[in-house]
Amino acid sequence: MDVPKEYVESAFSQLLGCRLQHLEQGVATVALALEPHLRNRGQKLHGGAIFSLVDIAMGLACSASHGFDQQSVTIECKINYMRAVSDGEVLCTARVLHAGRRTLVVDADVVQGDKLVAKAQGTFAVL
């Protein structure tokens, strides 16, 4: 899916270092490298950075589902963290499970290689 850069990047996603890897109807994959400013006190990738990655990927999946001419916002999101990340890069793939007229339900997996780092599900409102 070919979308102008300003539709898929925000100041916040750039601040974190998120990079869009793939975008298709209802699916988005976003990468995030573990940089020093994203570490928690235990020197692992901060859970808040992972959650932000998930929210960014889910939002892009929603836009790729209903079109970039409409906006959607997070109503709620639940995440389970499976393992810590000490170095390298993680990938988040978000998929729209249900696209209604008013809400979308989205599922996301954060992986590092073949290891599941986090699993999330969220609900988004179409504005």
Side-chain angles (χ1 to χ4, degrees):
M1 179 177 280
D2 193 28
V3 180
K5 188 176 179 178
E6 61 269 15
Y7 288 154
V8 296
E9 288 186 1
S10 68
F12 185 64
S13 68
Q14 291 174 353
L15 178 69
L16 288 176
C18 293
R19 299 176 328 279
L20 179 63
Q21 302 295 297
H22 179 77
L23 190 64
E24 65 182 75
Q25 179 71 36
V27 180
T29 300
V30 180
L32 179 64
L34 176 50
E35 298 293 340
H37 67 280
L38 299 177
R39 292 185 183 275
N40 62 19
R41 290 178 291 136
Q43 300 307 305
K44 309 295 187 210
L45 180 59
H46 195 289
I50 295 171
F51 193 93
S52 292
L53 170 66
V54 164
D55 194 50
I56 289 164
M58 285 181 163
L60 287 169
C62 288
S63 293
S65 177
H66 58 56
F68 284 85
D69 58 332
Q70 284 187 294
Q71 276 192 309
S72 52
V73 294
T74 311
I75 294 174
E76 63 82 31
C77 188
K78 180 221 186 298
I79 191 166
N80 290 97
Y81 299 97
M82 310 300 176
R83 66 178 57 248
V85 175
S86 299
D87 57 23
E89 180 176 271
V90 294
L91 284 177
C92 178
T93 299
R95 292 176 181 81
V96 173
L97 301 176
H98 170 75
R101 287 179 295 138
R102 294 185 184 154
T103 61
L104 299 101
V105 177
V106 188
D107 180 74
D109 291 326
V110 180
V111 298
Q112 187 174 43
D114 63 349
K115 305 285 188 192
L116 184 63
V117 172
K119 178 86 174 163
Q121 188 173 60
T123 307
F124 288 70
V126 180
L127 301 181

